[in-house]
Amino acid sequence: MSKTIIGEALPNIPWEDKPKGYEGVMWRYSKNPLIGWNPTPSTARIYNSAVLPYEGAFVGVFRADHKNGRANIHFGRSKDGLHFEIDDNIIPWVDENGKPNPISYGYDPRFVKIDDNYYVVWCDDMKGASIGMGMTKDFKTWTRLPNSLMPFNRNGVLFPRKVNGNYILFSRPSDSAHTPFGDIYMSESPDLVYWGKHRWVMGKGGQGWWQGTKIGGGPVPVETTEGWLMFYHGVSGTCNGFVYSFGAVLFDINDPGKVLLRTRDYLLTPEKDYETAGFVPNVTFPCANIYDADTGRIAIYYGAADTYTALAFCQIDELLEYMKKNGEVF
C-alpha cells in the first residue's frame, strides 16, 4: 500500500496494469480513445476535458467543439470513468444573482473540488482569451465568478486547497492566436475574486527540445508527501507544426512557486493514430487526473489530436523514482 499521495481512496479508479515488457512509467489505456467523433447530436469533437469522482461514480466538464466550429463546455456523467453520457446542451451559467450569464466560448476546462464546492476553470472570452471561473454544488446550478485574469491568458489551473491562507492559480500568459511562446505563472487570492502576488514559476527549455517552444499547466496538482505533483504539456516546433507532449513537475508543498524537479524527457508524446491524426495532428494534452491514495494509482485524461479523449496511467512511487533519476531543474 502506498502512502505517498495525500488524499482519499478511490478503489474504483479506472485502471489497467502496465503491459508486460513495457519499460516506461506512463502507459495508455488499451481501448483508447474513450470519446470519438460526433459524440452528441450538436458536437463534432470532445477533448481536453476534466473528470472527478463523485458518490461512487464520476462527473466531468467537457470541451465540445460544436458543428459550427465554436467551442463550449458541457457536463457529463459516467459510472466507470470510461464510458460517458454527455449533455448535448452547454452548461447554463448564471451570475451570482441567479440571472443567465452565458459564455461566448469556453475550452480546455479544469475541474477541482475545494471543500463542498466544485470549481471549473477554463479559457474564456473577455474580448480575448482569458481565465474564466465558475462553481457548482449540485451540477444543476452553475454560477460564474469574476474572470480571474485579464487577456491574453490560457491554461488556468486551480490548486485543490489553500496554501499559506491563499488560493493558488497557475496560468500561461499568451497572445490572441496560436501562441509561439509561453511560461507558467502563479497568482494568489484570499477569496477567488481578487488575484495578485503574480510570479513566474517555470519556463520552456531544458536539455531536450520537446518543451522548447512553450509549456502550460495541465491537470489539478496532486498533493504528495514529497510536494505538489503536476503534469504539464510541452510544445516543440517542427517543420510540420507544433507537437504537444507532456511531462511532470514537482513543486514545494509550502511554496508552489518553487520547482523541485521536472522530467527531462517527456512521459507521453504523440505516437498512436488517434494522437498523430485528427483535427490538429500530433497533440497529447493532459487536462485531468484522478487518483487512489491507497495504491498510488493515477489515471490521466488527455486530449488527443484536438479530436479525441484518451486515458493514460502511472503509479506515484514509480513516477517519483523515475523523476529523481531522470529529472532536471532549470
Side-chain angles (χ1 to χ4, degrees):
M1 181 175 289
S2 176
K3 296 292 185 180
T4 305
I5 293 178
I6 300 172
E8 298 180 358
L10 186 64
N12 63 329
I13 186 173
W15 185 257
E16 191 172 68
D17 288 337
K18 184 189 296 189
K20 186 176 181 180
Y22 184 79
E23 296 183 353
V25 294
M26 182 173 290
W27 59 99
R28 296 167 174 84
Y29 181 47
S30 63
K31 296 181 181 179
N32 275 343
L34 304 182
I35 303 174
W37 280 95
N38 303 310
T40 78
S42 69
T43 62
R45 299 172 304 278
I46 288 179
Y47 58 99
N48 296 6
S49 302
V51 175
L52 285 175
Y54 177 72
E55 294 186 349
F58 302 87
V59 293
V61 287
F62 297 85
R63 171 184 176 152
D65 287 7
H66 290 212
K67 293 178 180 177
N68 65 0
R70 201 172 187 89
N72 217 306
I73 303 173
H74 294 232
F75 175 68
R77 297 179 182 269
S78 173
K79 294 179 180 179
D80 59 5
L82 299 170
H83 304 88
F84 290 91
E85 296 181 0
I86 298 170
D87 294 347
D88 192 46
N89 296 317
I90 62 175
I91 288 176
W93 294 104
V94 298
D95 64 20
E96 293 175 289
N97 295 315
K99 296 181 179 179
N101 192 15
I103 61 178
S104 169
Y105 61 70
Y107 58 84
D108 302 351
R110 277 69 166 181
F111 205 19
V112 58
K113 183 183 180 185
I114 304 178
D115 299 324
D116 294 326
N117 298 324
Y118 293 82
Y119 292 91
V120 186
V121 182
W122 69 91
C123 184
D124 191 35
D125 181 16
M126 191 182 180
K127 303 297 183 183
S130 67
I131 305 299
M133 187 177 295
M135 58 82 64
T136 183
K137 291 179 178 291
D138 57 9
F139 314 115
K140 297 176 182 178
T141 299
W142 299 81
T143 303
R144 285 183 69 182
L145 303 176
N147 283 66
S148 306
L149 299 170
M150 295 172 64
F152 295 99
N153 213 319
R154 295 182 174 91
N155 298 308
V157 180
L158 183 64
F159 275 60
R161 66 168 175 85
K162 289 183 176 181
V163 179
N164 299 322
N166 282 334
Y167 295 99
I168 304 296
L169 178 70
F170 280 175
S171 66
R172 206 279 309 282
S174 58
D175 63 15
S176 62
H178 300 291
T179 311
F181 61 87
D183 293 350
I184 295 174
Y185 287 74
M186 185 178 100
S187 303
E188 300 183 39
S189 172
D191 56 8
L192 296 174
V193 175
Y194 298 100
W195 293 91
K197 296 186 177 180
H198 311 293
R199 59 189 280 201
W200 180 90
V201 174
M202 57 186 283
K204 64 184 181 181
Q207 298 180 43
W209 290 351
W210 71 272
Q211 53 184 334
T213 299
K214 58 182 176 179
I215 60 172
V220 173
V222 178
E223 187 173 4
T224 80
T225 55
E226 300 200 28
W228 294 101
L229 174 74
M230 185 181 76
F231 300 102
Y232 69 98
H233 67 264
V235 182
S236 61
T238 75
C239 60
N240 197 37
F242 289 152
V243 176
Y244 282 73
S245 307
F246 64 87
V249 57
L250 191 68
F251 301 104
D252 187 277
I253 198 70
N254 296 312
D255 181 6
K258 180 180 179 181
V259 174
L260 302 179
L261 196 61
R262 55 195 285 190
T263 45
R264 181 191 64 217
D265 305 331
Y266 56 71
L267 295 173
L268 204 75
T269 198
E271 295 176 0
K272 301 296 184 180
D273 288 347
Y274 55 86
E275 299 164 345
T276 61
F279 194 72
V280 180
N282 298 317
V283 177
T284 53
F285 192 97
C287 264
N289 45 221
I290 56 177
Y291 57 79
D292 175 28
D294 283 355
T295 61
R297 292 174 171 178
I298 303 176
I300 304 103
Y301 292 87
Y302 68 98
D306 280 18
T307 305
Y308 307 100
T309 298
L311 186 64
F313 308 105
C314 66
Q315 200 279 337
I316 184 63
D317 301 294
E318 184 182 13
L319 174 61
L320 291 175
E321 181 180 2
Y322 170 85
M323 291 177 67
K324 291 171 184 177
K325 294 179 180 178
N326 301 277
E328 60 181 344
V329 177
F330 57 90

